[in-house]
Each structure stands twice: as structure tokens, then as C-alpha cells.
Amino acid sequence: MQSLGLLIMIAVVAFSCNRPAASSGAATPQTQDKQTIPSFGYYLNNKRDTIRFIQKTEVEWKTQLSPQEYYVLREKGTERAFTGDLTDLKKDGLYTCRGCGLPLFHSKHKYNSGSGWPSFFDVFDKTSIATDTDYDLGYARTELTCARCGGHLGHVFDDGPQPTGLRYCINSVSLDFIEEKN
């Protein structure tokens, strides 16, 4: 009986150690939904904030995302070329993950690749993007996912402009945009 009590106590302590720290009252991107995305300045001042992985059930994701957003972000789908609302956007600002609000790309790194999807030659912060190898088309491609929520963003190719030579080809539906106010 004592060993059962000891096991329960260890489980409680282990569980509490894995929970995020209590909030200091300041809103952080982890606690924001897409309707209350923090300001552009927040991201510039907190660029290297710790990334804690968000886990949600499929029901929670389906409640938060539209069917198209769910298809792309959670099922690794792709929107049709030239249909995204951010493909031709030329405003200054920050592109964030539609699933969790994590900053991913800055408009100063965006360019017109002619591919039909928003394209960037660099990321906002290298820790914001995770990569994996995708063989869905029968050959290896580098898949990009959000480091915080695991949402599928698109792929990266080595045919982009200098200085990186990379083309981050991203689904518009995977992104939100925060305009930079001068």
C-alpha cells in the first residue's frame, strides 16, 4: 500500500514539473488565439522567446481552424497555386503561424518567385521552423513545420535568391499577417 502511495506522489510531482510555468500576467503568443495576435512590436522585442510545443486534440484543432486551414496545417495538404490571399501582399510586416501565432517570416525577406505561393528567402528566427524529409511526391523534399504547433507550412528549395539561395514556399492559409505600423 505504501508503494502505491509513493507511485501516486511521484506521478503528481512528475506531472507538475511538465506543466508550463504560471503566467506573470503578460500575454504571450502561447496563450493567444489567432483573433488576439500580439502586436508587431511584441515580436520584435521578444524574438527569441522560448518555444513550448503546443499539443491539442484533433477536435480542438478542427474547432479553431477552417476546413482548408485544417487540411493544410494538420493534414499536410497544399492550397492550389495562385489562390492564397497573401501571395501578392506587398505590405511591411510579419507573417505568423495561423495555428499558434509564432512569428515565421518578415516581409523584408519576401519575394515574387512566380510559383503561386508566398515565397521568402529567409526566416524570421531559425528556431521557429522545424524541418523533415517528405517523400509524398516520390522524391525527397524538405518539409517545413511550425516549431511550436507542428503545423505544416510548405517546403524549402535551393533555387531562391541570394544571400541565402533558398526559397521558402509557404501556403498562404498557414499564415497570418501583422502589418508593421510606422
Side-chain angles (χ1 to χ4, degrees):
M1 189 63 135
Q2 285 181 325
S3 61
L4 179 60
L6 182 60
L7 284 175
I8 292 172
M9 185 181 304
I10 290 170
V12 168
V13 169
F15 174 74
S16 66
C17 290
N18 288 327
R19 293 177 54 195
S23 174
S24 63
T28 63
Q30 295 99 292
T31 62
Q32 300 295 320
D33 62 25
K34 68 181 183 179
Q35 287 78 30
T36 57
I37 295 171
S39 70
F40 181 85
Y42 172 87
Y43 287 119
L44 293 179
N45 294 328
N46 297 286
K47 183 175 175 183
R48 300 214 176 262
D49 199 9
T50 302
I51 297 173
R52 293 188 187 131
F53 193 76
I54 293 173
Q55 291 184 326
K56 294 183 180 184
T57 66
E58 293 311 303
V59 171
E60 290 173 312
W61 282 119
K62 285 181 178 180
T63 301
Q64 175 185 336
L65 303 170
S66 73
Q68 178 71 6
E69 292 167 351
Y70 183 84
Y71 168 69
V72 172
L73 285 163
R74 308 313 309 164
E75 296 179 335
K76 300 185 179 199
T78 301
E79 66 190 359
R80 288 190 348 255
F82 302 102
T83 62
D85 61 341
L86 299 176
T87 304
D88 297 321
L89 185 67
K90 296 186 182 355
K91 295 179 180 180
D92 291 334
L94 194 61
Y95 294 84
T96 63
C97 175
R98 183 147 311 159
C100 69
L102 185 67
L104 302 171
F105 301 97
H106 192 282
S107 60
K108 69 182 176 185
H109 298 131
K110 188 175 185 211
Y111 73 102
N112 183 0
S113 69
S115 67
W117 291 277
S119 297
F120 305 86
F121 63 83
D122 206 356
V123 297
F124 181 70
D125 186 337
K126 305 256 186 263
T127 63
S128 298
I129 306 275
T131 60
D132 196 10
T133 304
D134 164 355
Y135 294 96
D136 289 350
L137 297 180
Y139 59 92
R141 297 183 300 167
T142 304
E143 177 191 10
L144 304 171
T145 58
C146 173
R148 181 184 289 152
C149 71
H152 172 75
L153 304 170
H155 295 84
V156 63
F157 303 96
D158 62 0
D159 59 2
Q162 292 304 316
T164 65
L166 299 174
R167 173 173 54 101
Y168 292 86
C169 187
I170 309 299
N171 291 286
S172 283
V173 74
S174 297
L175 301 172
D176 276 321
F177 180 73
I178 302 170
E179 188 172 354
E180 183 175 357
K181 304 289 184 192
N182 293 334

